[in-house]
Amino acid sequence: MPYSDSLGSLSAQMPKTFFITTAIYYTNSSPHVGHAYEMVLADVIARYHRLKGEKVFFLTGVDQHGQKVQQSAAKAGIAPAEFVKDITQKFVDLGKKVDVKYDEWAETTRERHKKVVRGILQRLFDEGQVYKDKQAGYYSVRQEQFLTDKERGPDGEFGLEWGEIEFREEENYYFKLSQHKGWLLQYLDNRADAVIPDFRQTELRNAVEKISGDLCISRPKLRLDWGIELPFDKDFVTYVWFDALTNYISFAGYDPSQSTLSSQPSTFRDKWPALQVIGKDILVPAHGIYWLIMLHAIGFPDDQMPQLLVHGWWNLGGAKMSKSTGNIIDPFVLAEKYGAEAVRYYLMSDIATGKDADFSEERLIERYNANLANSLGNLLNRTLNMIGRYGKGELRVRADYRREVAEDPMNWAKAVAVYMDQLDSHFISLALDVPFGCAVLSNQFIEQRQPWKIAKDSTSNELLCATLYTLAESLRIIAILISPVLPKAAQGIFDQLNWKMELSGKEERFSLADAEWGKLPDGHVVGKPVPLFPRIES
């Protein structure tokens, strides 16, 4: 989260809400597995912060305006409003399918959003930061801006990040982007964690150095009418940036009539600034340049800039997934085939945050069977069966043993500290190594202690009880730690342990404060084992 808080006095009365966003998804086509990955990544981070006892505001949604939407709707033979309604529902359905729990859903056709967009544009126009001009030159269709020779690479060509390039001449409105270049460079130099991972910040700074022109922010209605009308010229609509990017504050309660952050409603100040989870392809220039400069231009101070968490891509066969080439993975088919928990676990465990990875259905099956079915699932089944067989389903253990860290073979205090360190740094896959590593150790502990042999020695009853308690207590803590990634599996483990049954099915059943040794009481009766992770037969 941000490195300082100049508005500390304003929020001293209550803890700040942890605010996290995904990018909003463009409604010109159906979602793919990359959308599912970003949604789940943000959801896991949000669940982790709730696990720590924090208030959380998780915002995701869809970008419904724009030329590509208008073109796609025309191709389908329906009105844009009808077209985006169908695609929007698919993104809503995707969130449900992969068990994503957000607090607010953004749709850029909503009036509350349009009001904020128009208010910001009017203010910038009144301040002389938006002007009308005619421009001719090479134009990036993807990034919606005219390009200059500074954007050309060493080979004289425009880079792939600019997408399709065409020559265009048109009168439009422009935002004075270039006058903020010096500020953005200084901001990035002063804040080492403005963008994470750090190599993405270096990439962004290099791009900022090349800023030369201003940003086209409109389209004539004669060419595009599916957008928000400019408040100062009814012949134009705003295009892309001041519409789509503004959602991050419009749906968090920002009031465009207030020119300073300190005068914003407390409901907005309590949330802002946000951690924004985005793909590497929309860091430059959209979020890293346009969005940060937009916020600066409307009065957001440096220490209230959002932090950008930039993730990589899921590739297929070493190449980026693309609908045009047909190499995409449908997340609905995937979740229907393997279940949401298997998909969530694979997407979080088989990629390093910030890096690319190659999607493999074989790897999904392999990881699921090895770590969920064989290791954790087997541990749960063995433990409950042994407690039932040797303890009649009841845990019997001395109070001093429950408090004795030396008898905790997993050293949970250290394990939880490592887990938190990794998740605080957004390294989900490394954080998962903690509970699943402890599951491996617990299975090894069973083989070392061999409870079935101890049970035959009537003088070793105390050791048997301590062994069974160790396994049950380890499972309880494992459930807490996997809950951000595997919420249903965590509920299943607690259900079978017969623990906190009054909160069964509710997220508040889990708290990181409970991830300490010795919470299960003497005499606690566990439930019956039920297969939690049936093996996937390939």
Side-chain angles (χ1 to χ4, degrees):
M1 287 300 289
Y3 55 99
S4 63
D5 183 9
S6 64
L7 296 177
S9 60
L10 295 171
S11 56
Q13 300 87 350
M14 62 180 71
K16 289 280 284 185
T17 296
F18 175 75
F19 183 10
I20 185 169
T21 79
T22 65
I24 55 171
Y25 306 116
Y26 202 38
T27 50
N28 67 322
S29 58
S30 300
H32 55 70
V33 77
H35 297 113
Y37 169 61
E38 183 172 291
M39 277 186 170
V40 172
L41 175 58
D43 181 63
V44 168
I45 296 171
R47 286 177 184 269
Y48 167 63
H49 281 267
R50 288 194 290 267
L51 190 67
K52 292 198 294 182
E54 297 177 30
K55 292 189 300 178
V56 172
F57 184 73
F58 174 16
L59 171 67
T60 186
V62 286
D63 176 9
Q64 297 170 309
H65 289 127
Q67 189 169 330
K68 292 175 185 175
V69 168
Q70 183 170 291
Q71 291 169 342
S72 296
K75 189 175 180 180
I78 58 177
E82 191 65 27
F83 181 83
V84 299
K85 184 179 179 181
D86 179 58
I87 301 296
T88 294
Q89 187 58 49
K90 291 180 179 179
F91 280 98
V92 171
D93 292 343
L94 176 61
K96 293 176 181 177
K97 196 72 175 176
V98 293
D99 204 9
V100 169
K101 184 180 177 182
Y102 49 81
D103 299 287
E104 182 66 71
W105 178 259
E107 293 181 8
T108 55
T109 53
R110 290 187 189 173
E111 189 54 41
R112 64 181 290 198
H113 172 70
K114 293 178 182 179
K115 180 181 177 181
V116 175
V117 171
R118 288 192 291 258
I120 289 173
L121 287 169
Q122 186 66 59
R123 192 202 313 170
L124 292 174
F125 181 75
D126 292 343
E127 293 172 356
Q129 294 205 61
V130 171
Y131 64 94
K132 193 176 187 180
D133 194 17
K134 180 179 285 187
Q135 191 166 357
Y138 290 101
Y139 191 85
S140 165
V141 176
R142 175 191 290 174
Q143 304 298 353
E144 300 301 331
Q145 73 175 76
F146 283 96
L147 305 176
T148 69
D149 287 340
K150 285 191 175 182
E151 277 77 49
R152 294 183 187 273
D155 59 357
E157 300 296 323
F158 295 111
L160 294 175
E161 69 271 20
W162 300 108
E164 179 189 350
I165 306 296
E166 63 183 32
F167 190 85
R168 181 179 292 183
E169 182 176 6
E170 190 171 76
E171 189 172 44
N172 269 306
Y173 283 89
Y174 292 82
F175 168 58
K176 292 182 178 179
L177 185 81
S178 56
Q179 74 176 22
H180 301 284
K181 173 181 176 179
W183 165 79
L184 185 51
L185 287 170
Q186 185 176 33
Y187 166 70
L188 293 174
D189 288 343
N190 290 341
R191 181 176 179 183
D193 66 345
V195 183
I196 42 180
D198 55 4
F199 68 89
R200 294 294 181 199
Q201 181 151 335
T202 301
E203 174 187 309
L204 172 59
R205 199 191 184 288
N206 291 338
V208 176
E209 290 279 11
K210 297 178 181 178
I211 293 177
S212 57
D214 289 335
L215 179 63
C216 182
I217 62 164
S218 72
R219 285 292 176 273
K221 276 190 178 178
L222 291 173
R223 186 157 69 83
L224 174 67
D225 58 9
W226 182 241
I228 300 173
E229 186 179 274
L230 294 184
F232 43 80
D233 194 329
K234 298 185 183 302
D235 292 329
F236 291 82
V237 295
T238 186
Y239 196 68
V240 183
W241 313 118
F242 277 90
D243 182 355
L245 295 171
T246 301
N247 94 88
Y248 302 128
I249 56 177
S250 66
F251 288 96
Y254 179 80
D255 182 353
S257 69
Q258 302 299 316
S259 59
T260 62
L261 198 57
S262 59
S263 59
Q264 286 295 318
S266 60
T267 51
F268 178 76
R269 296 197 315 266
D270 171 58
K271 300 181 186 78
W272 194 262
L275 172 68
Q276 305 207 247
V277 181
I278 60 171
K280 66 179 185 179
D281 54 326
I282 55 173
L283 170 63
V284 177
H287 289 79
I289 297 177
Y290 301 162
W291 178 227
L292 296 183
I293 285 179
M294 284 165 56
L295 289 171
H296 174 68
I298 60 174
F300 281 67
D302 290 11
D303 61 355
Q304 293 298 306
M305 290 292 152
Q307 187 179 43
L308 305 177
L309 173 59
V310 184
H311 64 76
W313 290 336
W314 279 100
N315 297 320
L316 196 58
K320 181 189 177 186
M321 292 187 195
S322 169
K323 290 188 177 181
S324 60
T325 58
N327 65 329
I328 58 167
I329 299 294
D330 186 330
F332 292 99
V333 172
L334 204 64
E336 193 66 35
K337 187 175 182 180
Y338 299 112
E341 296 279 278
V343 173
R344 287 175 66 97
Y345 178 67
Y346 175 70
L347 292 178
M348 292 298 100
S349 65
D350 209 37
I351 188 171
T353 308
K355 303 291 183 66
D356 292 351
D358 223 40
F359 184 90
S360 165
E361 203 164 332
E362 290 74 19
R363 285 278 293 162
L364 185 156
I365 295 170
E366 178 186 309
R367 276 188 169 272
Y368 175 94
N369 284 339
N371 297 336
L372 300 185
N374 293 355
S375 184
L376 181 54
N378 192 37
L379 173 65
L380 178 64
N381 188 65
R382 295 172 81 188
T383 298
L384 294 180
N385 271 321
M386 288 188 294
I387 295 172
R389 184 179 301 122
Y390 306 132
K392 297 182 180 179
E394 187 176 347
L395 295 175
R396 304 297 305 182
V397 66
R398 298 194 324 261
D400 60 339
Y401 175 81
R402 295 206 313 276
R403 294 192 300 267
E404 182 54 65
V405 177
E407 287 291 343
D408 168 12
M410 263 52 76
N411 193 350
W412 276 110
K414 183 178 180 181
V416 171
V418 171
Y419 170 87
M420 292 183 66
D421 185 57
Q422 298 294 359
L423 268 176
D424 286 336
S425 301
H426 317 300
F427 296 135
I428 315 298
S429 61
L430 295 178
L432 282 171
D433 287 344
V434 173
F436 285 99
C438 289
V440 170
L441 289 174
S442 294
N443 279 312
Q444 291 173 353
F445 180 73
I446 292 174
E447 299 306 318
Q448 291 164 1
R449 284 284 175 96
Q450 298 183 318
W452 49 91
K453 287 187 178 180
I454 302 174
K456 295 177 181 178
D457 182 357
S458 59
T459 64
S460 299
N461 186 59
E462 193 170 287
L463 178 62
L464 177 62
C465 290
T467 299
L468 298 179
Y469 182 87
T470 294
L471 296 171
E473 182 66 351
S474 294
L475 278 164
R476 184 188 66 82
I477 300 176
I478 287 171
I480 294 171
L481 301 189
I482 67 171
S483 65
V485 176
L486 297 166
K488 285 187 169 60
Q491 293 282 356
I493 293 172
F494 265 34
D495 285 347
Q496 293 188 43
L497 288 175
N498 191 33
W499 186 242
K500 289 196 172 185
M501 295 305 292
E502 72 281 3
L503 293 173
S504 183
K506 297 180 180 179
E507 191 179 0
E508 54 266 35
R509 193 180 195 183
F510 306 103
S511 168
L512 204 54
D514 289 339
E516 60 179 25
W517 187 257
K519 293 284 187 177
L520 288 173
D522 179 46
H524 179 72
V525 177
V526 300
K528 303 290 185 182
V530 178
L532 195 60
F533 303 107
R535 277 184 60 84
I536 298 172
E537 301 302 330
S538 55

